[in-house]
Structure formats: structure tokens, C-alpha cells
Amino acid sequence: LAVNLSDLAAMGAEPYCFTLGLVLPQPDEKWLADFSVGLDHLAKKYNCPLVGGDTNQGPMSISIQVQGLVDKNHSVRRSGANVGDKIYVSGTLGDAAIALLALGLDSHLGNGFSFSASEPSPACLQFFKDAYFKPQPQIELALAAGKLFSSAIDISDGLQGDLEHILDESGVSGNINLSAIPYSESAMSCLSPENRLLAALFGGDDYELCFTVAEKDCAELESVAKELGVCVTCIGDIKAGEGIDYFSADGSAIEVAAQAFQHFSATT
């Protein structure tokens, strides 16, 4: 439900309702009770009630479809970025990808993707697990400031891959200041700069927003975000051309060689 709500946020839509298709091998009252508590919490938090669906027996499957409402003339799309716009992200990036390390799971980021030599604290490990299992869709930010977005997408496959969707559909290019990418304190303390960057650019599952804003609207955006208590960070700007160019804090060009997550490619 949370990740579907994140898609609504990326279009500036207000949650309306959702349906649930649930398939279970056998009825399990305790599991269903726990599942229902989590679902109910999110549904009430975002005023998005369950209105129907179906329940069947078979191999376990959970399918959720969310509906939202938005003025047809004011929906935010990926195709609206303009030359001169600033590129922003909400929250911090890479934490959900780092959670795979905390959970002992394989990552498509390679064998070199690992924690630093020191053992992460229990608090850090829990932080990463929460980032992975309990993403927080940026509904409030989108509803309050979506009118200022010229384009937007939620970051489900890593910053590079999702930003490229905006750039491709808008027919523009982007400059990214790598030193501006926001990281959590846990990521800063547990991973090398190289692995933090891998997690942010190519990890995925953050469900933060990447969006563009006209320069004249940046001050208003940042003011709205501050009132909401939501962190937003300007990480670059939109230029004419194609693709993404990366730079250091001093303006030096940096080559970045990796790929965003591909859903149907085999991991090695």
C-alpha cells in the first residue's frame, strides 16, 4: 500500500481508496490479524480506505491497486521538466538498498557493496530495516507543494534510473552535484562514500520523490517543506541535451559507471 501511495504522490494526487486481491495457501488468523493492523494503520493515516477486492486460496499473492484524485489540468507528469529548472529529492537516499546488507540478502550492487569494517550498531541496523519494510510515501509534500513541481517521479529503482525517465520524457538533460545527495546519519556512519553513492544512485526502494521546480519557485517550495518538517535537497539542474552529467562540489566532471536496477534482468 505504501509503495502504491508513493506513485500517487509522484503525480500530486490525493489518495481516494484501494482494493486488495489476497491469495493464501491456508487461512492463518494470526498472520491476517497482523497484516490487517499494518494495512489499517496506513489506510487511516492517508485517508485511503479499502473498498473491495477478492480473497482466494493458492500460492501466496498480495495485489493492491490504489485510486487517487487530481485535477486533470494539474496532474504532475514526468514530461514537464524545463531547461533551468532545479532538481530536488525528498528525504535521504540509499537506506533501503543498504537494508539488504542488514538483512543478509543479496544485492545487485555487487560483491564490493558492504558495510564498513566496523560492525553497525543495532540502532543502525533497525533504521535500515525500517527504511526497507516501512517506506513513507511523500503524500503530504506532494499535496502541499505539487503545484510547484514541473515534473516528478518516485524513486523506486535508484536515483539515476528514475531521473532518466524524467529527462527522457521531457527531452532534456540533467547536471547532478554528487556532493549534494542527502544521506542518513546511519548511512554516513556505516558505509564508505563509494558504497553510499552506489546505494543512492542504483539501489532503489527508497520511495522518496525526485522532482523539478522552476528556479523562481524554489524558495516557496523550501518554505512549504520546512513547515511540513520534510527534508528536500536541491541536487542539480536541468540543461539542454541528453542524459545525466555528474559533478563534484568544485565543478569537476565525474564518470559514473553503473546501471539502475532492471526488474527482469538476472543478477550475477
Side-chain angles (χ1 to χ4, degrees):
L1 179 57
V3 302
N4 279 276
L5 287 168
S6 183
D7 284 321
L8 293 187
M11 295 193 72
E14 180 179 3
Y16 182 64
C17 64
F18 75 98
T19 58
L20 168 67
L22 181 62
V23 182
L24 294 174
Q26 297 293 333
D28 183 331
E29 291 188 11
K30 182 181 184 308
W31 184 92
L32 284 168
D34 292 341
F35 176 75
S36 298
V37 167
L39 206 60
D40 183 60
H41 169 75
L42 274 180
K44 288 179 177 177
K45 180 177 180 179
Y46 296 105
N47 193 27
C48 187
L50 174 65
V51 296
D54 195 18
T55 304
N56 282 294
Q57 185 175 22
M60 186 176 200
S61 172
I62 303 169
S63 299
I64 287 177
Q65 184 184 63
V66 176
Q67 281 76 42
L69 302 176
V70 64
D71 188 313
K72 65 181 180 181
N73 297 317
H74 294 93
S75 61
V76 183
R77 300 185 181 275
R78 302 176 183 182
S79 56
N82 300 299
V83 173
D85 287 356
K86 298 298 182 181
I87 302 170
Y88 280 83
V89 294
S90 65
T92 58
L93 303 186
D95 296 318
I98 299 169
L100 297 180
L101 299 177
L103 293 165
L105 302 176
D106 292 334
S107 168
H108 68 284
L109 298 177
N111 294 330
F113 183 64
S114 62
F115 286 121
S116 302
S118 58
E119 182 69 19
S121 69
C124 281
L125 293 176
Q126 188 61 53
F127 173 84
F128 294 130
K129 291 175 183 178
D130 286 345
Y132 183 76
F133 286 117
K134 301 176 182 178
Q136 303 296 312
Q138 292 287 358
I139 293 290
E140 293 93 341
L141 176 65
L143 293 180
K147 64 182 180 179
L148 304 174
F149 299 174
S150 54
S151 67
I153 191 171
D154 73 327
I155 304 174
S156 56
D157 298 332
L159 175 61
Q160 176 170 284
D162 288 317
L163 176 57
E164 282 181 340
H165 292 315
I166 288 179
L167 302 179
D168 290 345
E169 296 196 26
S170 298
V172 293
S173 68
N175 285 349
I176 298 298
N177 176 2
L178 292 179
S179 65
I181 293 176
Y183 299 107
S184 66
E185 292 184 7
S186 294
M188 294 284 286
S189 66
C190 294
L191 272 80
S192 68
E194 294 78 13
N195 278 330
R196 288 199 301 269
L197 183 61
L198 277 178
L201 292 184
F202 310 112
D205 287 327
D206 285 315
Y207 298 103
E208 295 292 346
L209 293 182
C210 175
F211 54 97
T212 57
V213 178
E215 188 170 11
K216 65 180 179 61
D217 294 326
C218 289
E220 182 178 355
L221 165 76
E222 293 177 12
S223 175
V224 170
K226 184 176 181 179
E227 289 181 7
L228 293 173
V230 175
C231 173
V232 296
T233 306
C234 180
I235 61 170
D237 51 17
I238 297 295
K239 301 293 184 183
E242 298 179 350
I244 304 175
D245 293 316
Y246 294 102
F247 297 89
S248 64
D250 64 6
S252 303
I254 297 177
E255 291 293 327
V256 174
Q259 290 186 340
F261 178 73
Q262 301 293 321
H263 290 274
F264 295 103
S265 64
T267 56
T268 57

